[in-house]
Amino acid sequence: MEDVVPIGDQLRSRDLFDAFKLQLTKDFEKSNFPSGFINELPADYHRIHEKIVNELLLSETRADSNLKHLVNRIDISEGQLKKHLHQHADKNHLAVIADLIIKRVLQKVVIKRYYQKGQQ
């Protein structure tokens, strides 16, 4: 089995990071969440996490935002969400959700790239 590359290292790849930001923008916009902050994100996991947590926090005050819709759009299952929230009960729920968002969006990008290479 191949070694798993840490998330921080994956985000340092320019092509992969650009694809990550594009997918994150698409998911946020289709869920009626603001996405303007995404273009300015640095390729640093902790800063990305912090910005997403802030955006989720701001969205809680907006009547037209729906966190559940965003989580579903990104394709995080209810079971997965409950499991992670339970495992990290000592953390802020938005921090746990932001972590899942980053990991799932990156996973979607990597899977798309893998299958695109296989068809070439």
Side-chain angles (χ1 to χ4, degrees), residues 21-36:
K21 290 194 308 185
L22 186 64
Q23 182 65 50
L24 188 63
T25 299
K26 187 186 318 180
D27 289 336
F28 266 63
E29 287 176 353
K30 292 202 178 210
S31 300
N32 200 29
F33 275 73
S35 63

Side-chain angles (χ1 to χ4, degrees), residues 73-97:
R73 167 74 193 165
I74 292 175
D75 198 22
I76 298 169
S77 71
E78 191 173 322
Q80 185 181 23
L81 182 58
K82 284 181 182 179
K83 177 183 169 187
H84 277 78
L85 288 171
H86 178 72
Q87 287 175 339
H88 304 284
D90 58 325
K91 292 185 179 179
N92 177 296
H93 70 287
L94 295 178
V96 174
I97 293 170

Side-chain angles (χ1 to χ4, degrees), residues 7-119:
I7 290 176
D9 292 345
Q10 291 180 8
L11 293 173
R12 287 189 191 103
S13 164
R14 190 59 164 157
D15 290 343
L16 195 57
F17 185 59
D18 288 343
F20 170 82
K21 290 194 308 185
L22 186 64
Q23 182 65 50
L24 188 63
T25 299
K26 187 186 318 180
D27 289 336
F28 266 63
E29 287 176 353
K30 292 202 178 210
S31 300
N32 200 29
F33 275 73
S35 63
F37 74 99
I38 295 170
N39 285 333
E40 304 303 317
L41 289 175
D44 175 270
Y45 172 81
H46 298 291
R47 303 262 317 272
I48 295 168
H49 185 268
E50 181 181 301
K51 289 297 284 178
I52 291 175
V53 169
N54 288 338
E55 288 300 320
L56 296 178
L57 187 60
L58 290 172
S59 75
E60 287 187 328
T61 62
R62 290 185 21 241
D64 64 339
S65 71
N66 184 340
L67 185 55
K68 185 175 180 175
H69 183 67
L70 176 65
V71 168
N72 287 336
R73 167 74 193 165
I74 292 175
D75 198 22
I76 298 169
S77 71
E78 191 173 322
Q80 185 181 23
L81 182 58
K82 284 181 182 179
K83 177 183 169 187
H84 277 78
L85 288 171
H86 178 72
Q87 287 175 339
H88 304 284
D90 58 325
K91 292 185 179 179
N92 177 296
H93 70 287
L94 295 178
V96 174
I97 293 170
D99 184 56
L100 288 171
I101 288 171
I102 294 166
K103 290 176 180 175
R104 180 61 185 132
V105 170
L106 186 58
Q107 182 183 42
K108 287 175 14 177
V109 168
V110 169
I111 289 170
K112 281 181 188 176
R113 289 181 158 244
Y114 175 80
Y115 283 105
Q116 285 174 345
K117 285 182 182 178
Q119 294 182 3

